[in-house]
Each structure stands twice: as C-alpha cells, then as structure tokens.
Amino acid sequence: MNLPLIDESLAGRLIRAETEFYASRIRSIGERPGNPEGVEMRNFGNASAFYIKTMPWGLFNSVKGFTRDDAGLLDEIIHFYRERNRAFQLDIDPSAVDAKTLRLLAEKGLYHDGFQSVLYGVPSGEPPQLPASMTIRQIENEADFDHYAAIHCVGSGMDIRHKHHFFNNNIGLLHRPGWRLYLASWDGSPAAVAVMHISGSVASFTLAATAPQFRRRGLQTALLRWRMHEAHKAGCELVAAQADAGSSSQRNMERIGLRLAWTRAIWKPLQ
C-alpha cells in the first residue's frame, strides 16, 4: 500500500485515533479503585478535555480534537481548567482551524507555546531482523509489567523509587482492548519498552522508553520496526505517532519510514 496524501479527512482520522488512545489511557487511570489520582474527562463538541489532579504536567491536562466548530465552547474549556486551578495545553491542528479561530485563542488569553510533529506511515510486511544480543516479546503478565514500570520510570528521568507510580498508573493497559506492550531485552536483561494502541485500522505508537545504560544500541529503532510489523499482522492500514518537533524520536521514526503529516501547534493560557 502506498502512503496516502494527507487531506482534511485523513487528518481527522489520525486525530480521532490519537484522541481514542489518549482517552483510553486516561480512563484506565481513573478506573483505579476510588480514582486516587483525581481523573476527570469532559467533551466540548469535538474536543476532549483531560484533567488529572495529582499530575500537573501538560501531557495529562490537555485538550485534543479542538476544531473551528468548537470556537463557541472555548470559554467553557477555559473555565473547566480555571475552576480546578490548572494550566492546560490545547492541541491546534492546521487542518481543523482557521485564522479566525487563532485570533480568538489570542483574544481569550492563550499563546502559542510550542510545536509537535504528527507522523504517519504504512505497516511493514517484513519481520524485523534483530541483532543476536536483542530479543523482543509482548508483555503478557505482571512480572514482565514490573520490568515495564521500572524502565518507563528511569527512562523518563525519574528515580527508581518512584516505580510504583508508573506501575499503578499503567497496569490498567495490560490486557486492555486495543493495547499492546512490548519489552526488549539486551543479553537477557530488560532494557527498553514500547507501546502500541490499535483503533480501527490505525495503529498508534504511544510510548517508548529505554533504560539509560542501554541507550545507543538501536533498541528503539528495533521496537519501532517491530510495531510496524505487528500493525501489519493486525490488519492495520496506517501507523501514526507524535514527537517533539525536530527531536531524535522524530528522526528515528523517519528513518524507519514514517513521514511528517503536519506540525501541530501547542497553545497554553498566559495565566
């Protein structure tokens, strides 16, 4: 299959797949007994707003799927976060807005804070060739998931003593419909992890992390190729991913065949 050209219809399809995996992930955190992290989700027209009380970072307090048709709901979105005394980030995708919408964002006290690359590609029918020192397998049990939590923790720059947070807030993805988690080992030692979510015919590459002592060994490139083939075996038509604009993650994705779909603008409130 040739890579289709991006138009408004295809862009909408990729955005919906991203919003679906994001909602599924946040919902899994909120489903913990008693909702200890304080998860809230709210829809405003096409836009989905996410809030996690104990996690102040923009990643967990964001609005996805916002379009020009939702401009009349912008005050409600701002109020949702202001009521909770929380800064947020608003994804602005070029196919979904116009100049009038951008002007409105500025008038409401939001500013353009940064960029994110949205990438897409077609799955690969060729199984990846791994070096002799490397193995990859799907995570199927809590013992392997414990390795996942540890690698996600230290790969994110956190001290290993915080591993329990990563375990508790991601264990809901294990065996959750649509989700697949992978563990890469180097000479038998757990070294890197990666995650994929399938929504319809789109496979999203949602997370990847490598333990610092195992970096620069090609583990993430191998995990990307592995997921490209897994998406093919699952019957997906497209793969998609997001990365900081111009980052090493984006370069890794482009090296294995993904292409830039568009550059997303990230907007935030001034106060």
Side-chain angles (χ1 to χ4, degrees), residues 150-248:
I151 294 168
H152 189 173
C153 177
V154 298
S156 300
M158 303 289 284
D159 190 277
I160 191 61
R161 70 177 184 271
H162 298 296
K163 182 185 76 171
H164 63 284
H165 295 299
F166 290 83
F167 188 98
N168 293 337
N169 290 324
N170 290 279
I171 188 65
L173 302 183
L174 185 63
H175 306 310
R176 192 177 186 86
W179 291 91
R180 300 185 185 189
L181 294 79
Y182 302 96
L183 174 66
S185 297
W186 188 271
D187 286 334
S189 298
V193 294
V195 184
M196 181 171 75
H197 178 266
I198 296 175
S199 174
S201 60
V202 179
S204 295
F205 300 166
T206 69
L207 180 138
T210 303
Q213 67 270 31
F214 290 105
R215 288 175 180 160
R216 301 186 183 279
R217 304 190 193 194
L219 286 155
Q220 285 306 327
T221 297
L223 282 164
L224 282 167
R225 294 188 184 281
W226 192 271
R227 286 177 287 173
M228 291 280 277
H229 186 58
E230 289 289 297
H232 168 77
K233 292 196 296 182
C236 295
E237 296 176 359
L238 295 169
V239 299
Q242 301 78 40
D244 290 340
S247 64
S248 59

Side-chain angles (χ1 to χ4, degrees), residues 140-151:
E140 302 279 9
N141 54 62
E142 288 199 14
D144 276 350
F145 191 84
D146 191 67
H147 294 309
Y148 167 90
I151 294 168

Side-chain angles (χ1 to χ4, degrees), residues 10-191:
L10 180 53
R13 187 176 164 197
L14 297 179
I15 293 167
R16 285 191 297 274
E18 178 184 357
T19 303
E20 286 175 18
F21 86 66
Y22 204 80
S24 178
R25 184 187 179 195
I26 301 299
R27 191 176 293 113
S28 75
I29 298 173
E31 288 169 358
R32 290 177 57 195
N35 189 13
E37 308 300 338
V39 171
E40 294 183 57
M41 299 166 57
R42 187 82 55 85
N43 291 326
F44 297 92
N46 300 294
S48 297
F50 305 94
Y51 164 83
I52 303 183
K53 184 177 182 179
T54 62
M55 303 180 191
W57 307 283
L59 176 66
F60 300 108
N61 300 274
S62 61
V63 181
K64 296 187 175 294
F66 183 84
T67 74
R68 61 180 70 85
D69 297 331
D70 306 312
L73 298 171
L74 186 57
D75 283 335
E76 293 182 40
I77 293 172
I78 293 171
H79 179 71
F80 173 79
Y81 288 101
R82 189 167 289 163
E83 219 178 22
R84 291 155 180 79
N85 194 30
R86 179 57 52 84
F88 68 96
Q89 66 180 43
L90 175 64
D91 289 1
I92 296 297
D93 296 294
S95 65
V97 298
D98 52 24
K100 183 179 178 181
T101 310
L102 297 176
R103 183 180 180 87
L104 178 65
L105 296 179
E107 290 172 350
K108 295 296 183 180
L110 279 76
Y111 73 101
H112 179 198
D113 179 68
F115 295 99
Q116 184 182 58
S117 296
V118 178
L119 300 103
Y120 76 127
V122 294
S124 173
E126 295 184 13
Q129 300 298 311
L130 303 180
S133 297
M134 190 188 304
T135 59
I136 297 176
R137 66 177 182 270
Q138 188 168 338
I139 295 172
E140 302 279 9
N141 54 62
E142 288 199 14
D144 276 350
F145 191 84
D146 191 67
H147 294 309
Y148 167 90
I151 294 168
H152 189 173
C153 177
V154 298
S156 300
M158 303 289 284
D159 190 277
I160 191 61
R161 70 177 184 271
H162 298 296
K163 182 185 76 171
H164 63 284
H165 295 299
F166 290 83
F167 188 98
N168 293 337
N169 290 324
N170 290 279
I171 188 65
L173 302 183
L174 185 63
H175 306 310
R176 192 177 186 86
W179 291 91
R180 300 185 185 189
L181 294 79
Y182 302 96
L183 174 66
S185 297
W186 188 271
D187 286 334
S189 298

